[in-house]
Amino acid sequence: MWFIFSLITALAWGGSDLFSKMGTNPRDKYSHWRMVIMVGLVMGIHAIIYTIYKTNTEPGFVYEPINMLKYLPVSFMYILSMTIGYAGLRYMELSVSSPICNSSGAVTVLLCFFILGQTISVIQIVAVICILGGILLLSLYERHMDEKERLRRKVVIDKKYQISFIAILLPILYCIIDGLGTFGDALVLDNWLSEDQANISYELTFLLCAIGAFIYLVFIRKQKFNIWNERVKGAGALCETAGQFFYVFAIADNAIVAAPMISSYCVMSLVWARIILKEKLTKPQYAVIAVTAVGIAILGME
């Protein structure tokens, strides 16, 4: 089932990526805080409803709040990587970040292979290379197109945003920490927590982060927050939550192969853009989708 769960996760997070970009207002410097609030709110509601459902349908099921602390190192790494992504966006957007950030699945593969001793067949290695290759090509293509657009608009970029220590450090940190978070998931799910306990713990932790973000945004920064105005972000939050639900089951079952496959969500966002926004894709983008699809198909036949 790990393949189905991984595919659903990649599709869901591709939708989350698309809706998050659609809901982001470049003129609102607090837009990312609004996204955190919406994601945390949806995840928190899901965690509460799912806990009630499991308790009523499985008499032996009891959620133990102490598991939030047990799972906190993993939650912390995920949330920290997201924070680094938000905090360094102006650097990362203008650097070589995309190929590096989207390589976190490769970090997980290496950690699972060398530390956990998980195995991967030759044909799976070929599939993983296809998927990671597609992600890398997409990242390089998008960076190339961004540079062409800046040249067309005659936008001059400060060199410190392109070649500074921070411009290189931030995406590397993101890649490593996100990869460690996925590796931590594999370790925790194999030894200490069930998928349900881990997912509920993460969603409740994100809810606490959302509450903190709301307090900061509304009471400290004195900004207005209208949930109806954030419905596009809400759609992204629903996709994020759906992906997260299936993600833990995929990682628990076969982390070494599931991680790079799930990383292809950035490619899946192209598919959603074509279906939902009717965007015209270029030949290089279709080629990236094809390469990634071949890798996913190979894994599906294994």
Side-chain angles (χ1 to χ4, degrees), residues 38-232:
M38 292 305 297
V39 172
L41 177 63
V42 173
M43 282 195 174
I45 292 172
H46 176 263
I48 293 169
I49 293 175
Y50 187 69
T51 301
I52 294 172
Y53 168 78
K54 291 288 287 187
T55 302
N56 290 332
T57 57
E58 296 183 16
F61 180 85
V62 177
Y63 175 70
E64 301 174 3
I66 190 65
N67 287 334
M68 288 181 67
L69 291 177
K70 293 180 180 179
Y71 197 67
L72 188 59
V74 178
S75 298
F76 175 75
M77 281 186 280
Y78 283 141
I79 295 171
L80 177 60
S81 65
M82 292 172 66
T83 302
I84 289 174
Y86 289 139
L89 189 59
R90 61 181 181 141
Y91 291 97
M92 296 168 72
E93 187 178 42
L94 306 174
S95 68
V96 293
S97 65
S98 291
I100 300 174
C101 290
N102 292 331
S103 300
S104 59
V107 173
T108 305
V109 170
L110 294 174
L111 290 172
C112 288
F113 182 79
F114 288 108
I115 298 179
L116 295 185
Q118 294 185 3
T119 58
I120 182 171
S121 67
V122 174
I123 192 68
Q124 286 177 329
I125 291 175
V126 172
V128 168
I129 290 174
C130 286
I131 294 170
L132 293 177
I135 294 170
L136 178 63
L137 289 173
L138 175 62
S139 301
L140 292 172
Y141 174 74
E142 288 184 340
R143 180 170 181 266
H144 173 68
M145 294 306 292
D146 286 342
E147 289 177 348
K148 284 185 65 176
E149 179 63 17
R150 287 194 292 269
L151 288 173
R152 186 185 69 81
R153 295 168 55 194
K154 297 181 180 179
V155 176
V156 179
I157 305 301
D158 192 325
K159 286 187 177 180
K160 71 178 181 180
Y161 294 132
Q162 295 177 305
I163 58 176
S164 70
F165 176 71
I166 277 189
I168 302 299
L169 178 64
L170 287 176
I172 292 175
L173 284 176
Y174 177 94
C175 174
I176 293 174
I177 294 171
D178 189 63
L180 283 172
T182 306
F183 168 73
D185 249 335
L187 188 62
V188 170
L189 294 172
D190 280 348
N191 296 283
W192 296 298
L193 293 180
S194 68
E195 293 88 337
D196 288 328
Q197 295 286 338
N199 192 53
I200 293 171
S201 297
Y202 177 71
E203 291 184 333
L204 292 178
T205 301
F206 218 121
L207 175 61
L208 294 178
C209 291
I211 293 171
F214 181 81
I215 292 172
Y216 173 77
L217 181 69
V218 176
F219 296 102
I220 298 178
R221 306 307 300 181
K222 308 298 182 184
Q223 299 295 308
K224 293 181 179 179
F225 182 83
N226 186 327
I227 194 169
W228 179 250
N229 294 335
E230 309 298 340
R231 53 189 181 276
V232 177

